[in-house]
Amino acid sequence: MLSSGFENDSSGSKSNNPDFQVLLEDFYARYQRVMAGGSEKALALHRSRGKLTARERIDTLLDKDSPFLELSALAAMGQYHDQFPSAGVVTGIGKVHGRYVVIVANDATVKGGTYIRETIRKHIRAQEIAIDNHLPAIYLVDSGGIFLPEQSRVFPDRDDFGRIFSNQARMSAMKIPQIAVVMGSCTAGGAYIPAMSDESIIVKNQGTIFIGGPPLVKAATGEEVTDEVLGGGEVHARISGVVDHLADDDVHALKICRDIVATFPQADRQITDRIESRQPLYSAEELHNYAVIQTNLPVDHFSIIERLVDAGEFHPFKAEYAKTIITGFARIDGYKVGIIANNGVVFGETARKAAHFIQLCNYRKIPMVFLQNITGFIVGKKYEHEGIARDGAKWIHAVATSTVPIISIVTGGSYGAGNYAMAGRAYDPRFLFMWPNARIGVMGGDQAARVLTQIKQAKAKNSDDKHGKSEEEIFNEIKARYDYESSAIYSTSRIWDDGIIDPASTRKILSIVLDITTNKKWEEHRPGVYRM
């Protein structure tokens, strides 16, 4: 089983890069902590009710030989006093009866499976992946709805709780199958998850569905009623008709779910150029040696590519021109891909080369892999006069209008407008993953600290403040904040990416997601106006 790129036995993964090894071990330790779910007390209570845990339910649902690509496993880490491991929901992609499905499984051992901001972001992101790749969605429901102390941050806005049900309606209109398996509480707005799914299953004497629970009913009407009488399995299977199948327990419910998936029509898949896979020339663990910790150092993307692609074979495009960007074709697990990787700062010719290559990939229907380590675009009078903004716009335009799948891997830094050009989150890559050493921000910590220190010093001088902090103190404080807020853990905690991955798992994950993207035919490329 893959989980955010980590295999269950991968805690023994070692690196010859000592600085990176410390970082890698820290991430594995964090990962192992969230795998347990909620507290021991909550877990014991959950099991006493005869329930499987969220991840056990997923294991039971999936084919025996299926990997599970868990998404954003470290969501909410470092927030809410770490009381919401994985944001209380497990999302990911695996196979049922040989076909990929998106799974959203509430973890009732974490605050009763209630939703905070990051829970909603994970749920919606899973639906986006289902839409982009036309994958069936399975909701394993065991949730108390919105976490009420956070209601002002999760309820009223466009991408808050209501977006989940809006997406369900749109997915249904797109003929994307959806199944809900009610395995516990399903209350308030959450009741629409089974009600809006194609088929719904409920576990008797365990699952409940109601718009308002017994306390709310009593407050509103004075009526006293139990959970089971108000909205239990027998009620909704025999009286209301809200659900379609009544299961004896979790295992039975998941078997029914698997049987339903077996009835789904086959997907209209994209035909791609894939041949027999060949192994890379070097061990995947060697990628650890190219994970750069210092943000001011280049990443050796040529060596990284050599360790990702089949037989180490890479066919460069414009190899002798604009060498601060690497472009070319290769195969990953047999799939032909276009690769774009940073090799320094962006000049006008860099942007033009990248835009040209992106157009080729779109016209030839070749998916792209972006390897990000980018400080941004060159600055200065000479380059502004040459039109760096116009050339950069060509690249950004090409990325934004691409219709072939893009998978982004942040191997180093992703800063400023470079993040846009290299298919950052705002440009809808099909998947975006970060290495543990990766950073993302408007600029690097050193650069930001220098700029803001100068501004603060100027303000202090103009106000005749003789008792302010020293320049070194100001610099160190600002740099520490920027370094923390641009870290991979800060990003993944807020769902700015689809998860942190061990570099050694990069090829395996690329193989899975490239396969996933073929589940739906890709649109024809229709670029807009390029300023020449």
Side-chain angles (χ1 to χ4, degrees):
M1 172 187 278
L2 287 169
S3 193
S4 290
F6 297 139
E7 294 195 50
N8 286 345
D9 61 354
S10 59
S11 57
S13 184
K14 297 295 182 184
S15 168
N16 292 325
N17 180 345
D19 291 335
F20 181 72
Q21 179 64 27
V22 172
L23 200 56
L24 190 65
E25 289 177 354
D26 174 68
F27 276 101
Y28 277 127
R30 292 174 185 268
Y31 169 74
Q32 292 299 332
R33 286 202 299 271
V34 302
M35 288 300 103
S39 66
E40 291 184 6
K41 180 179 178 182
L43 186 61
L45 179 61
H46 187 83
R47 292 194 183 283
S48 72
R49 294 169 173 165
K51 295 182 176 183
L52 300 174
T53 66
R55 289 181 175 85
E56 288 170 344
R57 287 167 173 168
I58 292 170
D59 285 344
T60 304
L61 174 64
L62 294 179
D63 296 345
K64 296 302 181 186
D65 59 348
S66 170
F68 178 59
L69 181 63
E70 184 170 345
L71 304 169
S72 301
L74 302 185
M77 177 156 282
Q79 302 186 74
Y80 312 98
H81 305 288
D82 279 327
Q83 294 180 351
F84 285 88
S86 293
V89 66
V90 182
T91 62
I93 305 165
K95 284 187 175 182
V96 176
H97 283 295
R99 64 179 302 161
Y100 286 112
V101 298
V102 167
I103 300 172
V104 179
N106 300 116
D107 187 347
T109 71
V110 179
K111 300 291 185 181
T114 51
Y115 280 67
I116 53 173
R117 190 181 192 90
E118 288 70 25
T119 321
I120 293 169
R121 287 176 66 88
K122 279 186 71 169
H123 194 133
I124 291 174
R125 175 61 185 146
Q127 290 178 315
E128 289 172 351
I129 290 170
I131 291 169
D132 289 343
N133 302 286
H134 207 89
L135 299 178
I138 297 174
Y139 309 106
L140 306 183
V141 187
D142 196 346
S143 169
I146 287 174
F147 183 63
L148 293 180
E150 290 286 311
Q151 69 86 24
S152 66
R153 301 179 69 237
V154 300
F155 176 69
D157 209 351
R158 177 184 182 275
D159 288 323
D160 284 347
F161 199 53
R163 189 70 177 188
I164 293 170
F165 319 117
S166 173
N167 281 344
Q168 281 192 261
R170 292 185 174 94
M171 290 164 68
S172 181
M174 295 173 186
K175 298 181 172 58
I176 297 174
Q178 298 173 85
I179 303 173
V181 187
V182 182
M183 314 177 88
S185 179
C186 184
T187 188
Y192 291 115
I193 291 177
M196 299 188 74
S197 294
D198 297 358
E199 292 191 55
S200 295
I201 306 157
I202 194 168
V203 179
K204 65 182 180 182
N205 301 318
Q206 180 175 302
T208 56
I209 304 171
F210 30 65
I211 297 298
L216 185 59
V217 170
K218 184 174 182 180
T221 68
E223 181 183 11
E224 293 191 6
V225 63
T226 65
D227 287 2
E228 195 64 30
V229 170
L230 181 64
E234 297 281 348
V235 168
H236 288 305
R238 303 182 189 280
I239 300 174
S240 74
V242 169
V243 300
D244 310 297
H245 308 275
L246 185 63
D248 296 328
D249 53 29
D250 280 6
V251 173
H252 185 210
L254 295 167
K255 181 184 182 305
I256 294 171
C257 182
R258 285 182 55 83
D259 291 343
I260 295 171
V261 173
T263 70
F264 291 166
Q266 290 299 311
D268 186 15
R269 298 178 66 90
Q270 175 68 36
I271 298 173
T272 58
D273 183 348
R274 189 184 190 189
I275 62 175
E276 186 177 349
S277 177
R278 292 174 293 167
Q279 288 299 311
L281 296 179
Y282 304 99
S283 165
E285 280 68 27
E286 288 192 18
L287 287 167
H288 294 159
N289 301 328
Y290 301 95
V292 174
I293 305 297
Q294 294 82 5
T295 57
N296 61 336
L297 295 179
V299 170
D300 184 357
H301 274 138
F302 280 111
S303 294
I304 289 173
I305 291 169
E306 196 173 28
R307 284 154 180 78
L308 289 178
V309 302
D310 290 10
E313 294 179 358
F314 179 65
H315 305 282
F317 171 78
K318 284 186 180 292
E320 301 305 318
Y321 177 75
K323 292 187 176 183
T324 62
I325 194 78
I326 300 166
T327 54
F329 299 101
R331 291 188 184 272
I332 295 177
D333 197 19
Y335 283 105
K336 180 176 283 186
V337 296
I339 296 177
I340 299 181
N342 301 119
N343 195 36
V345 70
V346 175
F347 296 92
E349 61 267 26
T350 316
R352 294 193 296 271
K353 173 180 171 179
H356 184 175
F357 184 72
I358 291 168
Q359 282 190 312
L360 287 181
C361 290
N362 274 276
Y363 284 120
R364 296 176 185 177
K365 295 286 189 182
I366 299 173
M368 291 180 282
V369 175
F370 284 50
L371 302 175
Q372 292 194 38
N373 178 52
I374 185 163
T375 55
F377 289 75
I378 193 71
V379 297
K381 184 175 72 172
K382 175 180 184 292
Y383 305 105
E384 296 296 351
H385 288 189
E386 291 175 351
I388 184 67
R390 180 186 60 236
D391 289 328
K394 291 184 181 72
W395 186 359
I396 293 171
H397 195 125
V399 171
T401 59
S402 286
T403 52
V404 296
I406 295 175
I407 298 104
S408 269
I409 310 289
V410 186
T411 61
S414 179
Y415 295 117
N419 171 269
Y420 309 155
M422 288 298 290
R425 189 67 127 181
Y427 290 80
D428 296 324
R430 293 290 181 97
F431 295 91
L432 190 157
F433 298 104
M434 298 182 79
W435 283 6
N437 58 298
R439 293 188 174 277
I440 184 169
V442 70
M443 61 179 68
D446 283 342
Q447 186 181 4
R450 281 196 297 270
V451 171
L452 291 176
T453 298
Q454 291 173 14
I455 293 172
K456 285 181 177 288
Q457 289 293 95
K459 284 184 177 180
K461 182 177 180 181
N462 292 336
S463 63
D464 295 323
D465 181 5
K466 306 300 183 184
H467 304 287
K469 296 177 180 178
S470 70
E471 182 175 337
E472 183 179 5
E473 288 175 317
I474 295 172
F475 178 89
N476 288 336
E477 286 181 4
I478 295 171
K479 183 178 184 305
R481 179 167 65 85
Y482 263 77
D483 284 347
Y484 169 63
E485 292 180 355
S486 64
S487 67
I489 188 62
Y490 193 92
S491 168
T492 207
S493 174
R494 289 155 182 80
I495 331 293
W496 296 348
D497 53 62
D498 292 316
I500 297 170
I501 63 173
D502 184 336
S505 297
T506 304
R507 175 181 160 90
K508 189 177 296 185
I509 289 171
L510 285 172
S511 171
I512 292 172
V513 297
L514 285 167
D515 197 29
I516 289 168
T517 64
T518 66
N519 196 66
K520 172 187 176 183
K521 286 191 179 297
W522 308 333
E523 297 176 10
E524 291 300 316
H525 183 50
R526 295 183 179 88
V529 175
Y530 282 38
R531 295 182 64 87
M532 305 306 288

